[in-house]
Amino acid sequence: MQDETGTAAPVPTELKADCAQCFGLCCVALPFTASADFAIDKAAGSPCRNLRTDNRCGIHTELRQRGFNGCTVYDCFGAGQKVAQVTFGGVDWRSGSGERARLMFDVFPVVRQLHELLRYLTEALELPAAGPIHSELRRELDRAEALTREAPEELAGLDVSSVRQDVNVLLLRASELARAGLGRGRKKERRGADLMGARLKGADLRGANLRGAYLIAADLTGADLRSADLIGADLRDTDLTDADLTGALFLTQPQVNAAKGSSGTRLPASVTRPGHWTP
Ligand code: SF4
């Protein structure tokens, strides 16, 4: 439950990555392209060259220095251990047929999306202001949770985008209820806005709608982002130094990891301060 300052509760353990219970699925199932985020190309279903046979990353402590920033901002929301231990009963992709391994790699991104939705729905249920729609949120959460426990073949064929659409309608309503009374106006309605490199130092964005906004490399130092909705906002290299994100809605760890910040940045309890931020 949110406390009186609007700070969201910590994310439940089952919605946090537990790499010790996974088979390095994100390092095998997903593709990546050589770029500022990844030092190499890698095809989907092909193990990263840095993945060890014990499913640990061989360069974990030096990912940024070695050009693998993308790995430090990724979060499976606990989908890895669910697929490894529940969907596939604890049997590694290295065992059994190639067909079984391919199925595991197809299922992983589907369950990852479902777990992301579970993460948002769990937070929405913690919002006292969203009380009028708690029963609907609970119903969608139960539905998504049940889907994550389907058989591998069912999961591989799941139309997850339609689940997303249903959940998004509810999340938007929860957001509107939580932000009601915090001030509106053009400056605060920034859904999907292109704010790349924007100078928003010290801006009053309390309760702003920044859903899906492109805030790449924006200067938000000292900005007031309390109770702002940041679902899906692109915060790569966004400067959050000394910004106040207390009670920010639907802010995830990958977003925070991708941003810059400091010890003066105030964060909701649902995320932790990245180690690479300045003191
Ligand atoms: S560099 Fe490490 S964390 Fe990144 S994909 Fe490869 S094994 Fe995984």
Side-chain angles (χ1 to χ4, degrees):
M1 183 70 71
Q2 283 204 340
D3 65 17
E4 67 281 2
T5 64
T7 297
V11 174
T13 311
E14 63 271 21
L15 298 179
K16 283 184 173 175
D18 180 357
C19 301
Q21 298 299 315
C22 181
F23 305 143
L25 288 175
C26 60
C27 308
V28 186
L30 307 179
F32 42 75
T33 305
S35 62
D37 288 330
F38 296 104
I40 55 170
D41 285 320
K42 188 189 87 58
S46 155
C48 172
R49 70 185 186 195
N50 298 318
L51 184 66
R52 303 188 317 209
T53 52
D54 64 355
N55 292 323
R56 298 302 177 102
C57 174
I59 59 167
H60 179 68
T61 57
E62 46 188 10
L63 284 165
R64 285 181 175 265
Q65 299 91 305
R66 300 276 290 268
F68 287 84
N69 273 19
C71 302
T72 68
V73 301
Y74 181 80
D75 189 344
C76 74
F77 300 104
Q81 68 259 31
K82 173 72 73 67
V83 172
Q85 303 301 331
V86 178
T87 320
F88 286 87
V91 181
D92 197 332
W93 50 270
R94 294 178 178 85
S95 310
S97 67
E99 195 176 332
R100 180 178 174 281
R102 276 190 293 280
L103 185 57
M104 196 182 300
F105 304 149
D106 287 345
V107 162
F108 171 67
V110 173
V111 176
R112 197 261 186 189
Q113 288 194 66
L114 291 172
H115 266 237
E116 184 181 11
L117 295 179
L118 289 172
R119 156 74 174 78
Y120 294 139
L121 286 164
T122 302
E123 180 175 331
L125 277 162
E126 298 286 339
L127 298 169
I133 61 166
H134 271 188
S135 59
E136 292 168 79
L137 289 164
R138 169 59 59 186
R139 194 166 57 239
E140 281 300 326
L141 186 138
D142 290 345
R143 176 187 173 214
E145 167 60 23
L147 285 170
T148 67
R149 295 179 184 278
E150 290 280 2
E153 294 77 9
E154 299 295 325
L155 282 164
L158 181 70
D159 180 5
V160 74
S161 63
S162 103
V163 182
R164 286 194 85 97
Q165 279 173 14
D166 293 344
V167 171
N168 276 336
V169 170
L170 276 184
L171 294 177
L172 184 54
R173 284 172 61 197
S175 168
E176 285 170 347
L177 287 165
R179 294 181 296 109
L182 293 176
R184 290 290 167 100
R186 199 170 55 83
K187 285 188 175 173
K188 293 199 174 178
E189 281 303 319
R190 302 293 187 95
R191 184 175 185 175
D194 180 354
L195 295 168
M196 286 192 272
R199 295 177 188 167
L200 294 164
K201 186 173 184 174
D204 173 12
L205 291 167
R206 187 176 184 197
N209 179 359
L210 290 161
R211 298 171 70 88
Y214 297 91
L215 287 157
I216 300 166
D219 179 3
L220 281 165
T221 55
D224 185 353
L225 288 152
R226 286 176 292 167
S227 300
D229 185 346
L230 287 160
I231 196 167
D234 193 332
L235 299 182
R236 281 177 290 169
D237 289 327
T238 307
D239 196 344
L240 297 173
T241 299
D242 296 337
D244 190 350
L245 291 98
T246 306
L249 301 171
F250 309 126
L251 181 68
T252 63
Q253 197 63 49
Q255 288 173 297
V256 174
N257 290 353
K260 298 174 184 169
S262 67
S263 57
T265 307
R266 300 188 67 187
L267 294 168
S270 52
V271 294
T272 56
R273 195 175 307 278
H276 65 270
W277 280 14
T278 55

